Amino acid sequence: MNSLNINSIFLISAIFRVGLILYGEWQDAHMEVRYTDVDYLVFSDASSLMASGHSPYKRTTYRYSPLLAFLLIPNSFLSASWGKFLFSTSDLLVGLFIRIILKQRKVPEDLCTYSVLLWLFNPFTFTIGTRGNCEPIVCAMILWIVICLMNGKVVQAACWYGLVVHFRIYPIIYALPIIFFLDPRFFQSGMKPLLCDWTSAHGKTPQINSEVTDQCDIWLAFKSIFTRSRILFGLVSGSVFLFCTGFFFYLYGWEFLHEALLYHLTRTDPRHNFSIYFYHIYLNYERELSVLEKLISFLPQFIVQLVLIFCFAKDLLFCFFVQTVAFVAFNKVITAQYFVWFFCLLPLILPWSNMKLKWQGLCCILLWIGAQSHWLMWGYLLEFKVFRRHAGSKRASKRD
């Protein structure tokens, strides 16, 4: 890595993303399968409505915070690709934040560089932003919250946390680990919170003295939950979330509340996705599922989240990672963009892993790619061949 410094890596990855965005414009115009994510068209339409003074929720299937439509208003007058450049810039910010976090945890330069490369040149991550998906913004906000917490900036972390939960509801799962993380013995004494530094033996060396570390116990943290830093974090993050939600409820009413928040509690999707519930939903879509049936699928998620939090909350970043993997795995709908939620956390825990790239790492990568390709092949055949052929035969029979 000596021949390629970190600035060159970021420059190459930025140029690469610009090239992909330009290529995407060509593919959209010349090929059957569009490069641009269908959600990006929804975002763009919603932002155009907002720019015209209308509700973004007049665009069917727009089920996000109005903040997203606001950020993409330049799509209407500057460039239709503005949002893709914005998301790709956030993508690069994630790489920068990964480096900052690892350097603060004393990870060697080479390992930091490899970890940044794992994000910047991961095919799953660089295509998400360049195709027009907003997840890189969420990932960047989450990592910035981690940086704020590592530096003891509770109020700033709380403000961003309230904002990101409003923007994309799933980071609510990180609330309890953060509360455990805000141990009063460190913040009251002006010390940085407990995180483990990297060592050459892949061991974990606490940033603070062993006497204090030995006293750290998750149940003790739970018992003393009502402390100044925890109450401050809860009040500030809650206030930011309620202010954003209340403000947009005032502007757009119940339509906003249903589409941006409540809809996700009972969402079902019969189209192909990676969820374990997909086939059940597909077979029963014509039969309207009751609200109880839709909500009960959250029970496995809830139980698994609690178990993981109480097992791993002492290691905040690893806890975030396993929580996110489990949350995605048990979700009712899983699309490729959801994998980015935990891909942004993977480079932060790999320096502590004993897994070698050869052969364990390569086998895991190949298995992942093979499973994805296998599933997507059947999804393509189903949606682009079977459905379209069926629709075409219906139109032909009507003409006859």
Side-chain angles (χ1 to χ4, degrees), residues 13-60:
S13 59
I15 294 171
F16 181 59
R17 281 159 171 76
V18 171
L20 278 176
I21 292 170
L22 297 176
Y23 164 77
E25 298 296 318
W26 177 88
Q27 180 173 323
D28 290 350
H30 295 88
M31 297 180 71
E32 178 186 27
V33 180
R34 294 174 58 89
Y35 183 81
T36 300
D37 194 319
V38 67
D39 285 345
Y40 187 72
L41 305 178
V42 176
F43 302 160
S44 299
D45 292 344
S47 66
S48 179
L49 285 167
M50 181 178 275
S52 304
H54 302 291
S55 167
Y57 299 103
K58 286 187 176 180
R59 174 48 161 104
T60 55

Side-chain angles (χ1 to χ4, degrees), residues 143-343:
L143 295 194
W144 181 248
I145 291 166
V146 171
I147 293 171
C148 292
L149 289 171
M150 288 178 67
N151 291 295
K153 299 176 180 177
V154 182
V155 174
Q156 188 177 157
C159 288
W160 284 102
Y161 184 70
L163 185 63
V164 77
V165 172
H166 165 79
F167 191 82
R168 204 82 164 92
I169 194 69
Y170 87 88
I172 192 70
I173 65 176
Y174 304 139
L176 201 52
I178 292 175
I179 292 299
F180 285 138
F181 184 74
L182 297 176
D183 194 293
R185 284 162 293 184
F186 312 132
F187 282 95
Q188 286 184 357
S189 60
M191 302 174 71
K192 289 184 179 181
L194 176 64
L195 263 182
C196 300
D197 293 339
W198 188 90
T199 64
S200 59
H202 292 291
K204 295 184 177 182
T205 305
Q207 291 178 205
I208 54 177
N209 63 68
S210 59
E211 180 183 352
V212 177
T213 306
D214 291 338
Q215 295 174 356
C216 279
D217 183 86
I218 200 73
W219 292 106
L220 183 61
F222 187 78
K223 291 175 185 176
S224 59
I225 199 167
F226 297 107
T227 61
R228 181 181 178 276
S229 59
R230 288 166 174 165
I231 292 173
L232 183 64
F233 183 88
L235 286 176
V236 173
S237 60
S239 298
V240 171
F241 173 79
L242 290 174
F243 172 78
C244 293
T245 305
F247 177 72
F248 289 120
F249 178 74
Y250 172 76
L251 291 179
Y252 303 116
W254 285 102
E255 189 177 30
F256 149 71
L257 205 59
H258 176 265
E259 298 292 345
L261 296 174
L262 300 179
Y263 165 81
H264 298 283
L265 295 176
T266 56
R267 178 186 179 187
T268 56
D269 191 345
R271 292 299 180 117
H272 87 278
N273 64 84
F274 301 98
S275 174
I276 57 175
Y277 299 105
F278 155 70
Y279 196 55
H280 173 74
I281 292 172
Y282 179 78
L283 293 178
N284 292 277
Y285 194 70
E286 303 242 339
R287 178 183 71 84
E288 183 65 29
L289 297 174
S290 68
V291 174
L292 181 62
E293 285 179 296
K294 292 178 180 179
L295 291 177
I296 204 168
S297 63
F298 286 102
L299 189 59
Q301 273 184 321
F302 181 75
I303 294 172
V304 171
Q305 289 297 314
L306 284 182
V307 171
L308 292 174
I309 289 169
F310 283 103
C311 287
F312 301 112
K314 286 184 179 180
D315 188 342
L316 183 71
L317 295 175
F318 184 73
C319 188
F320 276 12
F321 177 77
V322 293
Q323 274 187 279
T324 312
V325 171
F327 182 82
V328 171
F330 286 93
N331 211 29
K332 287 180 296 184
V333 178
I334 304 174
T335 57
Q337 69 201 53
Y338 291 10
F339 301 138
V340 179
W341 296 353
F342 57 81
F343 276 157

